[in-house]
Amino acid sequence: MTPTLSSIAEQLQQAGQSHLLGFVDQLDESELQSLLQQIAYLDLELVNQLFAKHGDANNPTSLNIDTTSNHDIMPPVALRLDEANTPSGVTRSQALAEGERLLRAGKVAALIVAGGQGSRLGFDKPKGMFPIGPVSQRTLFEMLANKIDALQRHYETTIPLLIMTSPSVHDETVSYFAEHDYFGLNDSIDFFCQGTLPVVDSRSGQILLQSPHIISVSPNGHGGMIEALVADKLLDKYQQAGIEHFFFGQIDNPLSPTCCPELTGFHSLTDSAVTLQAVAKQDAQDKTGNIVQMDGRIQMIEYTEMPMQLAAQTSPDGKLNFWAANIAVHIFQTSFLQQLAQDPTALPFHTAHKTVAHIDHLGNQIHPAKPNAIKFERFIFDALSVSPKTTVIEADRNLVFAAVKNQASASFNTVNTCQQAISTLHRNWLIAAGVQVDMSITVEIDPCWARNAQQVGERPDLPQTIKSDIFLTSASSTAR
């Protein structure tokens, strides 16, 4: 049903947001209809409720609840790297066998969050299209697709790949995959788009306008994936297809262990609703979420909300007590995702105080010098608060984490540090297999050629010496 100006005006008046129609006399018919459609899509009652709960005109920089007050917080119960089995008694060999069984049986899917732009990298396209291969210049999307392809070939199975985009990158992402024939995954890939929420003024709660006919909105966070999966009927589709577990990862980490058999096996054999892969924090001020045990339950505390006296606590051997860093590598039971889908309040909203350009009531462009607006979002890790059972498995940071998030001027999570991590890992695989390769050589390995050190050592065409930068791929070994 096409919204009318009179019906929209009445809704806005009741919600105290009538300013959104302040420029209708200046709009042509297509602009007016676009604006009305945008407003009709809004949940005005929700927006006002969120601002009433989280907005604080007197203290606009402190919008989130202190999750650490009056709580019993401890390091998480976890399987550490130097341990052989989980508290549930599951061994690593058992976990690997179970994960491989599940992959062969087609019980595992991959869900990758890829809604970001590459703007922080100086890249004006979806971040997944950023060329990150240290030799091949494969994009993040291509490296992900190659991982799935390699797993499918090895286990003679199909692994559905679900990619969650955002409105700003959706069409370009889908077009990119179509142009590359979906990297051979066209029969097992789905794209779905997360929702958005309007951006509001931090003092008045009024929804901001980007232009006279465009409302300022922002993606509703990776926690919005539940709502988006339901909207596109993908959760039901894959549950009916027999998918029992969803691997969850983010596109900006090319070392993310997508559908890792061992991790999947631990998740299954411990009958966990959620399994988290953690790495040891490098120092107390690591800019990663903290996986903790809070009031007897595994929870996540963002680094911005973790009291420094807790973050800096050490054991007698000098190691951090709160060691577990979140790297956004999770596995979810499909049945648990369905449980979350049945409860719209399961994931709470968080707020972020941001600097957002907009137009004022006269139509003037405003470019604030300091934060002026509130964005609302949900985080998938808040599902931990209702998870019947959560398992934490530690992994070696060098094997599973090389995020690319920051500009080259930063000291961590840059393009350079990411490419170095990929090359170092792959070079170490070759060295372990007896290949002579100098530390100055840049190495990159296609997962269809080898997915780990063991497979490298099993290659019949393994070179004895590598003297120049090389990309080892299933088609051929390409030197640069």
Side-chain angles (χ1 to χ4, degrees):
M1 182 175 177
T2 303
T4 64
L5 180 57
S6 59
S7 65
I8 292 294
E10 182 178 353
Q11 294 174 32
L12 291 176
Q13 184 176 12
Q14 293 175 354
Q17 301 282 0
S18 295
H19 66 286
L20 295 179
L21 296 179
F23 303 97
V24 292
D25 293 341
Q26 304 174 21
L27 307 181
D28 61 31
E29 185 60 27
S30 64
E31 291 173 335
L32 175 61
Q33 289 305 314
S34 173
L35 177 62
L36 295 180
Q37 289 285 357
Q38 292 171 63
I39 297 172
Y41 177 77
L42 300 178
D43 187 336
L44 295 169
E45 182 179 0
L46 174 63
V47 172
N48 286 345
Q49 286 176 351
L50 289 174
F51 180 75
K53 181 177 180 180
H54 296 288
D56 184 352
N58 297 314
N59 188 17
T61 62
S62 181
L63 297 170
N64 289 328
I65 298 172
D66 180 5
T67 57
T68 64
S69 297
N70 303 316
H71 293 287
D72 181 20
I73 304 175
M74 303 173 61
V77 174
L79 174 61
R80 301 300 304 267
L81 283 175
D82 58 355
E83 296 174 342
N85 54 270
T86 67
S88 300
V90 179
T91 67
R92 295 185 183 277
S93 59
Q94 289 172 333
L96 177 60
E98 171 70 357
E100 291 186 325
R101 181 191 70 79
L102 289 167
L103 285 167
R104 289 191 179 97
K107 301 296 184 181
V108 183
L111 193 160
I112 306 298
V113 176
Q117 292 272 11
S119 53
R120 290 174 66 183
L121 306 176
F123 187 67
D124 63 354
K125 297 180 181 297
K127 185 183 283 189
M129 293 171 59
F130 189 86
I132 197 63
V135 179
S136 70
Q137 290 295 291
R138 288 180 297 159
T139 66
L140 288 161
F141 279 141
E142 186 175 0
M143 294 185 80
L144 167 66
N146 292 162
K147 285 185 189 180
I148 298 292
D149 185 30
L151 286 166
Q152 291 187 151
R153 291 170 185 265
H154 183 79
Y155 293 109
E156 298 180 334
T157 190
T158 296
I159 300 174
L161 172 61
L162 290 74
I163 296 179
M164 186 172 82
T165 65
S166 66
S168 64
V169 304
H170 182 80
D171 291 343
E172 195 167 5
T173 296
V174 175
S175 295
Y176 171 77
F177 273 85
E179 290 166 4
H180 291 83
D181 199 23
Y182 301 93
F183 301 102
L185 304 178
N186 51 304
D187 293 333
S188 57
I189 187 167
D190 278 295
F191 302 92
F192 66 109
C193 188
Q194 71 185 113
T196 61
L197 285 168
V199 180
V200 304
D201 179 83
S202 60
R203 294 188 176 274
S204 68
Q206 288 198 329
I207 297 171
L208 297 180
L209 282 169
Q210 181 179 326
S211 73
H213 70 285
I214 299 178
I215 292 172
S216 182
V217 298
S218 65
N220 61 3
H222 47 64
M225 80 178 201
I226 303 296
E227 181 182 348
L229 284 169
V230 171
D232 282 15
K233 298 180 172 56
L234 291 174
L235 207 50
D236 287 342
K237 171 185 174 179
Y238 284 109
Q239 186 172 49
Q240 292 166 10
I243 296 299
E244 298 176 356
H245 310 284
F246 276 90
F247 172 90
F248 172 93
Q250 297 184 331
I251 193 61
D252 60 10
N253 177 17
L255 289 189
S256 180
T258 308
C259 299
C260 169
E262 184 179 280
L263 187 66
T264 304
F266 275 125
H267 173 74
S268 175
L269 292 177
T270 56
D271 194 26
S272 297
V274 187
T275 296
L276 308 178
Q277 188 165 77
V279 299
K281 292 169 61 176
Q282 295 174 310
D283 59 64
Q285 300 184 42
D286 257 14
K287 295 184 184 299
T288 52
N290 295 268
I291 302 172
V292 303
Q293 197 103 356
M294 186 158 64
D295 299 334
R297 180 183 289 275
I298 298 293
Q299 299 276 26
M300 197 83 65
I301 301 177
E302 287 282 52
Y303 70 91
T304 54
E305 299 175 354
M306 184 75 166
M308 184 48 64
Q309 67 268 25
L310 282 182
Q313 277 184 6
T314 57
S315 57
D317 62 3
K319 295 181 179 179
L320 291 173
N321 274 341
F322 292 93
W323 60 270
N326 173 41
I327 57 170
V329 171
H330 315 321
I331 300 183
F332 295 96
Q333 281 183 347
T334 306
S335 58
F336 179 59
L337 294 181
Q338 287 283 22
Q339 176 187 328
L340 294 175
Q342 300 305 312
D343 183 4
T345 66
L347 301 181
F349 283 96
H350 295 254
T351 54
H353 202 234
K354 299 291 185 178
T355 303
V356 177
H358 61 97
I359 61 171
D360 65 14
H361 68 287
L362 297 176
N364 299 314
Q365 287 289 337
I366 305 298
H367 297 277
K370 59 182 181 180
N372 65 300
I374 299 173
K375 294 183 177 182
F376 302 107
E377 55 189 348
R378 283 171 157 162
F379 302 138
I380 194 58
F381 55 69
D382 281 324
L384 298 175
S385 64
V386 294
S387 168
K389 184 175 183 180
T390 303
T391 295
V392 180
I393 308 291
E394 183 186 7
D396 184 336
R397 175 186 293 265
N398 296 323
L399 302 182
V400 299
F401 187 62
V404 52
K405 297 177 181 290
N406 300 322
Q407 296 177 348
S409 58
S411 59
F412 64 98
N413 291 352
T414 67
V415 173
N416 187 48
T417 61
C418 177
Q419 291 179 328
Q420 286 180 349
I422 295 170
S423 180
T424 298
L425 176 62
H426 292 175
R427 187 191 310 115
N428 287 342
W429 290 354
L430 291 165
I431 292 172
V435 179
Q436 295 183 16
V437 51
D438 190 86
M439 298 301 288
S440 64
I441 300 298
T442 301
V443 175
E444 182 181 352
I445 296 177
D446 182 338
C448 286
W449 194 82
R451 292 186 297 109
N452 49 45
Q454 178 182 337
Q455 290 187 358
V456 168
E458 295 170 350
R459 292 290 307 193
D461 55 349
L462 189 66
Q464 293 184 344
T465 304
I466 294 176
K467 297 183 178 180
S468 61
D469 295 351
I470 193 168
F471 174 44
L472 294 165
T473 177
S474 55
S476 61
S477 299
T478 306
R480 185 178 69 181

